[in-house]
Amino acid sequence: MPDSAPQQLLHLVIGGELVDLEQNIFKNLDDVEIVGLYPNYATAHTAWRAKAQSTVDNAQMRYFIVHLHRLLDPNQEPAR
């Protein structure tokens, strides 16, 4: 891989209806939506915001950004 390639920090955006707002437990795992996989936090955040705003009328619906790069390399220091 060339040295000039940007660092790839994979992020996954998922969402669905929660059982209650106190816990992050999905009501039905079969209905969890995989919005997409993104190469950095900025693009994942843009996708997350769009999905969250499109479901604002459903208080039980939540979307999350999963930092996959931290799962793939748990020794990696978080960006500050």
Side-chain angles (χ1 to χ4, degrees):
M1 183 187 309
D3 290 336
S4 63
Q7 185 178 16
Q8 192 175 62
L9 300 174
L10 295 177
H11 291 78
L12 174 67
V13 178
I14 63 170
E17 207 165 350
L18 300 180
V19 172
D20 67 54
L21 299 178
E22 299 297 319
Q23 300 176 353
N24 293 335
I25 299 173
F26 292 108
K27 189 178 283 187
N28 183 348
L29 288 178
D30 291 333
D31 292 335
V32 171
E33 178 183 4
I34 298 173
V35 177
L37 184 65
Y38 301 92
N40 56 52
Y41 181 82
T43 55
H45 188 266
T46 300
W48 167 84
R49 181 178 298 280
K51 289 305 289 186
Q53 288 179 344
S54 73
T55 60
V56 71
D57 291 335
N58 183 348
Q60 299 295 109
M61 188 69 77
R62 291 289 190 270
Y63 286 87
F64 302 92
I65 299 174
V66 180
H67 299 264
L68 289 180
H69 61 95
R70 292 183 188 163
L71 297 174
L72 295 171
D73 186 4
N75 295 322
Q76 180 182 5
E77 289 293 319
R80 295 183 194 261

